Amino acid sequence: MTTLEELKTLPKLDAIIEKQGPLFDLIIIGGGPAGLTAALYAGRARLKTLIIERALLGGMASTAFHIDNYPGFPRGVSGMDISRYFEEQAKKFGADFYYGEVLGIKRKELYYEVKIDKKDISTKTIIIAAGSESKKLNIKGENEFRGKGVSYCATCDGPFYKDKSIAVIGGGNSAVEEALYLTRYASKISIIHRRDKLRADKILAEQALNDPKIFILWNSQIEEILGAARVENIKIKNTITKKSSRFPIDGVFVYVGSNPNSKLFSNLVKLDKNGYILTNEEMKTAASGIFAAGDIRKKTLRQIVTAASDGAIAANSARIYIDSNLK
Ligand code: NAP
């Protein structure tokens, strides 16, 4: 996983254009597993490829402490390591990397112009692999105590909660996996879930239910986070009895899902009602020459393995599109 500081030392856009020429075959927006796999396949197809990332290569996957369901790693792998492997392999086949923000995309006759920071870069095709970002609870105290007891990243902040009592909000794979990770630090972890059944995979749910440090508060909705300088209490409402109660807590980890980073593309491609990009099986969007891959597209299973698969298919479709339309 390339750090923010390392990314800033990557070649400048002008240097990349000087080396590659003014027209790219493919611009990949987003450097998570989908974008990095697309770069690997595009490189092997000898497409002139530029991958743009605004934060950390590896995306959300890079923050996972332990990944047990990516094939080829029978003993599991950390999110940081797997991201680094993805990155190394993509670079090996010649993709150029740039750290910056895509600000817009315009169709220009046969090509597209992508506005990156203050420059317009021309490309024959685009793969949107911009992923998603953590959903917020939007309750009182959430913003106020962010970084003061409210966290969205167990691997980053878990070590601060040694022998403390913490709450994890949510009942999906992220909440349960991160609750299990936090058992190495905290003395007590309360998973607060609004229903009476976890959404997480059975194997994770079983582990959580059998862990002596984890307690699940079923049918419970967090209403407020309270404290003075830091988080001290949370207010929880029982969704059946409708009664609210407060209990003391040292930290709150929020894992209530994610929203696709698709706003910028909403005038170009079709989105579903939740903002996910609609594609067909070849990762084609409603705009010719624009493909989407990974968590940003509408799909039934959001995993690193399916993001990688999307990326490979999208790069192959971009190659076919160029061969059929632009050669
Ligand atoms: P998710 O699967 O969408 O689950 C979000 C959880 O948060 C659900 O249990 C939901 O409750 C709850 N929730 C949503 N809004 C809430 C609110 N306002 N207040 C309280 N609870 C709320 O999200 P995720 O766990 O972040 O996972 C995202 C995707 O990544 C999924 O496709 C997941 O399978 C994948 N993922 C996979 C792995 C893995 O395979 N190891 C690890 C992490 C993530 P309800 O259940 O009632 O809707």
Side-chain angles (χ1 to χ4, degrees):
M1 184 182 70
T2 302
T3 64
L4 213 58
E5 285 316 303
E6 284 169 337
L7 274 168
K8 283 177 179 164
T9 64
L10 287 173
K12 298 275 178 282
L13 211 43
D14 289 336
I16 295 172
I17 294 166
E18 200 169 303
K19 183 181 96 184
Q20 294 277 26
L23 175 64
F24 283 88
D25 290 319
L26 171 63
I27 286 184
I28 299 168
I29 304 170
L36 291 171
T37 308
L40 157 67
Y41 276 71
R44 290 174 62 85
R46 295 289 183 245
L47 299 187
K48 215 191 279 176
T49 302
L50 176 64
I51 180 162
I52 299 150
E53 171 57 55
R54 66 177 174 182
L56 296 182
L57 287 173
M60 271 195 170
S62 65
T63 64
F65 175 74
H66 187 78
I67 293 160
D68 243 344
N69 55 359
Y70 194 81
F73 295 93
R75 284 170 292 284
V77 59
S78 74
M80 218 186 254
D81 282 345
I82 202 169
S83 301
R84 204 174 264 290
Y85 303 148
F86 274 122
E87 179 190 346
E88 260 178 47
Q89 217 170 341
K91 282 185 173 159
K92 178 175 156 188
F93 293 106
D96 276 298
F97 286 65
Y98 179 71
Y99 166 78
E101 179 98 21
V102 171
L103 300 172
I105 298 173
K106 261 196 245 146
R107 177 108 211 180
K108 277 275 164 86
E109 294 165 17
L110 287 179
Y111 305 137
Y112 286 98
E113 247 178 37
V114 179
K115 193 171 199 55
I116 306 166
D117 296 334
K118 283 182 185 146
K119 273 212 145 27
D120 289 320
I121 314 285
S122 300
T123 182
K124 296 176 186 170
T125 60
I126 294 169
I127 295 175
I128 303 171
S132 57
E133 63 184 10
S134 302
K135 258 192 206 163
K136 305 288 173 289
L137 286 162
N138 295 321
I139 57 168
K140 230 171 135 190
E142 184 180 21
N143 277 340
E144 188 185 341
F145 292 110
R146 192 179 176 148
K148 298 174 200 153
V150 173
S151 170
Y152 303 84
C153 179
T155 18
C156 321
D157 299 327
F160 299 121
Y161 292 89
K162 194 155 170 21
D163 301 325
K164 305 267 186 204
S165 176
I166 56 178
V168 172
I169 318 297
N173 276 326
S174 299
V176 176
E177 211 165 62
E178 300 309 318
L180 287 163
Y181 166 72
L182 288 162
T183 56
R184 70 198 62 218
Y185 304 110
S187 53
K188 181 178 173 190
I189 295 133
S190 306
I191 294 181
I192 296 169
H193 185 36
R194 62 186 181 183
R195 289 192 292 137
D196 61 356
K197 197 167 178 282
L198 293 171
R199 183 184 287 274
D201 293 349
K202 286 244 157 46
I203 188 164
L204 290 172
E206 282 164 15
Q207 283 174 35
L209 289 165
N210 290 322
D211 195 297
K213 282 187 171 180
I214 297 182
F215 301 83
I216 305 184
L217 270 75
W218 302 106
N219 303 310
S220 299
Q221 181 73 47
I222 185 164
E223 288 185 314
E224 193 177 343
I225 301 169
L226 305 107
R230 288 187 58 82
V231 170
E232 290 170 5
N233 293 284
I234 46 177
K235 193 169 153 199
I236 304 287
K237 183 179 186 172
N238 184 300
T239 57
I240 297 180
T241 63
K242 310 288 180 213
K243 277 198 177 146
S244 295
S245 50
R246 267 192 193 199
F247 71 89
I249 208 84
D250 298 305
V252 180
F253 286 80
V254 182
Y255 286 104
V256 292
S258 47
N259 288 320
N261 292 319
S262 60
K263 231 185 220 157
L264 186 69
F265 317 108
S266 59
N267 293 332
L268 273 172
V269 298
K270 281 202 177 119
L271 309 179
D272 77 355
K273 66 176 184 351
N274 297 315
Y276 291 99
I277 298 177
L278 298 173
T279 66
N280 67 5
E281 277 188 16
E282 291 149 9
M283 308 301 139
K284 287 183 183 166
T285 68
S288 61
I290 300 187
F291 307 85
D295 282 6
I296 199 164
R297 75 176 191 95
K298 182 176 162 64
K299 61 201 276 189
T300 52
L301 185 63
R302 292 199 172 82
Q303 301 277 302
I304 301 175
V305 71
T306 60
S309 163
D310 286 1
I313 295 168
N316 189 51
S317 297
R319 177 189 64 75
I320 293 169
Y321 174 86
I322 293 169
D323 287 348
S324 327
N325 300 291
L326 300 173
K327 277 211 165 147

